[in-house]
Amino acid sequence: MFNAIKKFANKHGIVAPTYDLCDKQKAHDKFKNVGFNTLDTALVKTQTDLENFPHTKVILKPNVSCNTNSDMFKLGHFMYCVRDKKELLEQLQASGSFNEGVIQEEPFIVQQAAEGNEDNYAALIMSGVVNGAGTVWHFPPLELKTHFKDKVRKVKSVWSEDNNTDEVFNIQTRINALLSAESSKNCFYQLQFLRTDVGWAPHD
């Protein structure tokens, strides 16, 4: 789809939007380049790729996501859940997901799980707008705390200027650098972060 849009733009002499940040592996590298704390992320094409990933608690995601959900993938029921890597490998093997060690549906990524207890995590959503000159305006940050009770996810959210801590201002500086590096103009942005032992880490 992305290649088709680029081809159309080239044919008609227009500038195509970039979808690099929808590619979670490319996005991870871009986040790292502007100084964000990051969750280790690796592309998985083979069983060995997953075995060699140096974390015990992991999460699988589609490598490229843009208005997608796990139901679109054969491996969807393995995705977006924090799992023990050893257990995940056994489940993928049992489901026939590997053929001679090669994953049967690709691409997807494995990512280091953020801090949390089972499925309870603290999240931060940063958003804003960029004008035609590349100037960025940031909206108040949205902080989320989620937990499960009686099999139902409970979410407490606070969208407020009170969330504008020194840590958030530091994140906004890195967001400015990221948007500048991408030559982003005339657009909205939204980035999602999870709490880790070294601070907020962007993951989407």
Side-chain angles (χ1 to χ4, degrees):
M1 181 180 71
F2 301 154
N3 289 338
I5 292 173
K6 188 177 292 185
K7 184 178 179 181
F8 179 88
N10 290 339
K11 178 180 177 181
H12 296 281
I14 58 178
V15 177
T18 174
Y19 292 92
D20 276 0
L21 289 174
C22 294
D23 183 316
K24 293 183 186 297
Q25 185 60 54
K26 289 182 181 178
H28 171 265
D29 295 341
K30 290 173 184 287
F31 294 152
K32 203 168 183 177
N33 287 341
V34 295
F36 279 119
N37 301 315
T38 56
L39 298 166
D40 282 350
T41 303
L43 186 66
V44 175
K45 293 185 177 180
T46 68
Q47 181 175 331
T48 303
D49 291 336
L50 188 52
E51 288 171 343
N52 290 341
F53 190 66
H55 297 280
T56 303
K57 291 293 184 182
V58 300
I59 184 170
L60 293 186
K61 299 178 180 179
N63 187 49
V64 175
S65 62
C66 183
N67 296 325
T68 62
N69 59 60
S70 60
D71 294 336
M72 298 179 65
F73 300 89
K74 292 177 184 175
L75 298 180
H77 54 288
F78 295 112
M79 293 187 181
Y80 298 116
C81 296
V82 173
R83 297 174 182 269
D84 180 86
K85 185 179 74 172
K86 182 179 178 183
E87 178 187 348
L88 177 62
L89 275 163
E90 291 172 353
Q91 291 172 335
L92 288 171
Q93 290 166 339
S95 69
S97 298
F98 296 109
N99 180 9
E100 296 183 353
V102 177
I103 197 73
Q104 291 305 289
E105 182 181 354
E106 59 174 315
F108 69 84
I109 63 161
V110 59
Q111 193 171 73
Q112 168 192 2
E115 283 187 351
N117 178 18
E118 295 180 347
D119 221 352
N120 304 332
Y121 295 90
L124 174 73
I125 298 177
M126 302 289 293
S127 58
V129 295
V130 190
N131 70 9
T135 305
V136 183
W137 281 272
H138 301 283
F139 298 151
L142 177 61
E143 284 204 21
L144 304 171
K145 294 190 187 319
T146 71
H147 69 278
F148 274 90
K149 184 176 182 180
D150 299 326
K151 298 184 179 179
V152 176
R153 183 186 289 276
K154 306 290 184 180
V155 180
K156 179 181 179 182
S157 63
V158 179
W159 189 34
S160 171
E161 293 286 359
D162 292 341
N163 296 329
N164 278 330
T165 62
D166 288 343
E167 185 179 27
V168 164
F169 287 132
N170 191 25
I171 290 171
Q172 289 174 343
T173 299
R174 286 176 167 76
I175 289 173
N176 291 349
L178 175 69
L179 294 171
S180 177
E182 295 298 299
S183 300
S184 300
K185 296 177 181 178
N186 295 319
C187 65
F188 291 92
Y189 86 83
Q190 178 173 291
L191 278 175
Q192 299 172 32
F193 297 79
L194 290 173
R195 175 62 74 184
T196 72
D197 57 352
V198 290
W200 293 112
H203 72 100
D204 226 345

